[in-house]
Amino acid sequence: MAVQTTTPTSTTTGATAETSVDLGPASALSCRECGERFPLGPIFACDQCFGPLEIAYDLPLGDPESLRKRIEAGPANIWRYAPLLPVPADVADKPNLNPGWTKLVQADKLAGELGVEPGKLFVKDDSGNPTHSFKDRVVAQALEAARAFGFTTLSCSSTGNLAGAVGAAAARAGFRSCVFIPHDLEQGKVVMAAVYGGDLVGIEGTYDDVNRFCSELIGDPLGEGWGFVNVNLRPYYAEGSKTLAYEICEQLGWRLPDQLVVPIASGSQLTKIDKGLQELVKLGLVEDRPYKIFGAQAEGCSPVSAAFKAGHDVVRPQKPNTIAKSLAIGNPADGPYVLDIARRTGGAVEDVNDEQVVDAIKLLARTEGIFAETAGGVTVGVTRKLIENGLIDPSLTTVVLNTGDGLKTLDAVAPTTGPTATIRPSLDAFRDAGLAH
């Protein structure tokens, strides 16, 4: 549907002109706190209570079987779910990276190590996306909103993966890009963000410092015409995470998983996965039944886990100190909503230390041939801990998310990973090394 919306010049949104936008079933922006509704536009906070805004929809309610067949006949990427996303109907015809439809791996060898019943443990491996992380999903949504609102520059604050995803998407779509990162990111992520030819700016400080700077820039004339995917385009950007929920359920034969383990950075991914599951139930695409969502954090940046364990509703910010830099957001915007979902579904939020993260990365690689980045080590490590503590039922279907490729975080495993032996080029030397078995 084409929605007529006015986006006047504003120092708080960066919007520049009145425009007519086609964002499919998206009908309005709705405040998650007070419920106030706003026309679709590049805004992210309610002017009544300052709560975060999210997309409200006119979903295609009707015959579930017809909708299911329509989805299954679609492309093998996230655009198969275009009828459920804030994108125009012709989105698949536009230049984009076409992320999604990544593997759902039945992880029986990992299950054996963790004490889970065979056939019950799955890894949703999003390292197969174009820039090797789930961020391609969210950027794809934000890019379409940027087109609709007439932005010319695509930007973001990032802990690494998002910077690369924005750079690549902008290059493909013909946008200028300028992304901002903490100055001390892993070198692999810095190179990947820079290689696409856009501007990459290191900020001295943590991710939260970077995010504050971007919030200032968006309200300055310097930011005119800029679409910050995780600031003024955040309501659209966040919807990309729903496609993880859609894919998992479709790949399980159109059924809800019993348990999911999701990494927490800002917390947006977890909240949107829950939203996606609820939408599938509402549409009749899956049977409504209980599921539990578990959040995973690194001990060196675990404000949501700390709040959950203390029984608090407010998340107290922390200064990050962990090798899991992609999750190192000390003041997560969606933290309180994560707490609500974990408690509502009967899940939990847990954390693991850096040593456990590295051990889990190696475990997943050794058992399933999946080399996860540190965030994947966090989810696998937390899964193991939750099973040991009796919080995850090993007899139920459990999906663990790996959101990125281990090649981006080599420094985490390099000190303890290397050649089994170094020998002379002779059979005797090979035999003496004890490897001839």
Side-chain angles (χ1 to χ4, degrees):
M1 61 182 291
V3 178
Q4 185 75 33
T5 180
T6 301
T7 54
T9 301
S10 167
T11 58
T12 60
T13 68
T16 56
E18 185 174 307
T19 183
S20 177
V21 299
D22 175 10
L23 291 175
S27 59
L29 295 172
S30 176
C31 177
R32 290 164 73 178
E33 291 294 327
C34 71
E36 185 75 16
R37 291 170 76 91
F38 301 85
L40 295 171
I43 56 175
F44 60 98
C46 175
D47 63 10
Q48 302 297 310
C49 71
F50 303 107
L53 301 181
E54 65 177 359
I55 306 294
Y57 291 94
D58 291 325
L59 289 174
L61 299 172
D63 177 25
E65 188 59 31
S66 295
L67 179 56
R68 192 180 292 118
K69 289 180 179 178
R70 179 181 174 185
I71 290 170
E72 291 172 346
N77 55 55
I78 60 172
W79 306 130
R80 67 199 286 116
Y81 307 110
L84 312 181
L85 297 170
V87 294
D90 64 347
V91 61
D93 299 326
K94 297 179 179 180
N96 55 65
L97 295 178
N98 297 326
W101 203 242
T102 54
K103 293 179 180 179
L104 183 68
V105 178
Q106 184 172 315
D108 286 345
K109 289 179 67 180
L110 178 62
E113 294 272 355
L114 300 182
V116 175
E117 291 185 8
K120 297 296 185 180
L121 183 64
F122 296 83
V123 175
K124 180 59 171 171
D125 184 15
D126 241 26
S127 66
N129 278 309
T131 68
H132 307 286
S133 89
F134 92 97
K135 290 296 187 181
D136 291 319
R137 297 175 182 270
V138 290
V139 170
Q141 308 298 312
L143 173 63
E144 296 311 313
R147 288 193 220 263
F149 300 133
F151 290 116
T152 56
T153 297
L154 212 60
S155 186
C156 69
S157 53
S158 174
T159 57
N161 282 326
L162 181 58
V166 167
R172 171 70 176 139
F175 279 65
R176 180 209 173 198
S177 69
C178 183
V179 300
F180 300 88
I181 59 173
H183 69 286
D184 59 349
L185 282 187
E186 302 98 332
Q187 187 62 20
K189 290 182 179 177
V190 172
V191 171
M192 191 164 190
V195 74
Y196 300 108
D199 292 316
L200 176 66
V201 181
I203 300 290
E204 296 176 358
T206 67
Y207 171 80
D208 296 294
D209 297 317
V210 178
N211 205 34
R212 279 192 293 271
F213 169 79
C214 289
S215 296
E216 292 176 10
L217 180 56
I218 206 171
D220 189 275
L222 288 171
E224 190 71 29
W226 287 40
F228 284 80
V229 300
N230 54 347
V231 187
N232 59 348
L233 296 176
R234 187 173 184 83
Y236 313 91
Y237 157 94
E239 295 294 285
S241 291
K242 295 193 311 180
T243 60
L244 279 161
Y246 299 158
E247 287 180 20
I248 288 168
C249 290
E250 184 178 354
Q251 290 168 328
L252 287 174
W254 291 107
R255 61 186 177 91
L256 294 169
D258 299 305
Q259 302 164 138
L260 297 98
V261 185
V262 183
I264 298 171
S266 71
S268 175
Q269 183 186 67
L270 187 149
T271 63
K272 294 310 181 203
I273 286 176
D274 179 65
K275 183 180 180 182
L277 298 177
Q278 293 293 310
E279 287 176 352
L280 293 180
V281 170
K282 182 179 179 181
L283 291 164
L285 294 175
V286 298
E287 179 186 352
D288 187 10
R289 59 189 182 85
Y291 60 85
K292 295 181 180 181
I293 297 185
F294 298 87
Q297 292 201 291
E299 186 179 284
C301 186
S302 54
V304 186
S305 175
F308 181 86
K309 293 175 182 178
H312 295 161
D313 295 325
V314 176
V315 176
R316 184 176 180 180
Q318 295 181 358
K319 186 174 181 179
N321 181 22
T322 174
I323 60 171
K325 293 183 183 295
S326 63
L327 303 183
I329 297 180
N331 188 18
D334 278 31
Y337 303 106
V338 169
L339 294 173
D340 290 344
I341 291 168
R343 289 166 179 155
R344 188 195 80 226
T345 65
V349 186
E350 187 54 90
D351 56 80
V352 285
N353 62 37
D354 285 355
E355 183 179 353
Q356 291 169 315
V357 171
V358 173
D359 287 345
I361 291 172
K362 293 180 177 180
L363 174 63
L364 180 60
R366 174 171 56 83
T367 56
E368 301 300 338
I370 298 172
F371 184 17
E373 70 161 300
T374 48
V378 170
T379 52
V380 173
V382 163
T383 300
R384 177 162 54 185
K385 191 171 182 178
L386 291 169
I387 292 169
E388 291 172 349
N389 293 340
L391 295 176
I392 281 183
D393 187 336
S395 69
L396 299 178
T397 300
T398 302
V399 177
V400 180
L401 267 65
N402 172 45
T403 52
D405 194 321
L407 292 174
K408 295 184 177 187
T409 56
L410 289 173
D411 290 351
V413 294
T416 57
T417 306
T420 303
T422 301
I423 64 171
R424 299 184 309 278
S426 73
L427 294 176
D428 287 342
F430 182 63
R431 187 178 298 109
D432 292 344
L435 300 175
H437 53 73

